[in-house]
Amino acid sequence: EMHASDPQTELLTIKEAAALLRVSEVSLRRWTDSGVLPCLRVGGRRERRFRAADVAAFAARDVSASVAGPHKDMVELTGVNI
């Protein structure tokens, strides 16, 4: 049985996801359009919703991709905690 408060199923609006990742909503739309970041489409206006787990995984991967050498072990500390 799934609950809305379950972090695996918690859905974020594009505004919330952008704030967590510290990027613009435009970047998020570009990433979802290109398939880099998964999203769900809801309602008649097909608004994007992001799973908290997807956003956290994307943040961790993005940080690790931009971190050089010996600092890689700090990814856990700088990842998004939801």
Side-chain angles (χ1 to χ4, degrees):
E1 183 180 338
M2 295 287 193
H3 295 268
S5 59
D6 181 344
Q8 294 302 314
T9 58
E10 181 186 351
L11 296 181
L12 307 169
T13 64
I14 191 166
K15 183 172 288 189
E16 291 167 335
L20 277 172
L21 292 172
R22 298 186 184 88
V23 297
S24 70
E25 294 180 23
V26 174
S27 292
L28 281 184
R29 290 190 183 97
R30 194 166 59 238
W31 291 335
T32 57
D33 289 346
S34 64
V36 177
L37 179 62
C39 74
L40 308 170
R41 292 302 185 95
V42 300
R45 291 169 54 202
R46 311 294 293 147
E47 291 183 12
R48 290 171 172 84
R49 289 293 181 276
F50 298 85
R51 281 192 293 263
D54 290 337
V55 172
F58 181 84
R61 192 182 71 198
D62 196 50
V63 167
S64 65
S66 61
V67 169
H71 300 293
K72 272 213 161 61
D73 58 346
M74 294 189 58
V75 168
E76 257 65 52
L77 303 176
T78 56
V80 176
N81 291 320
I82 298 176

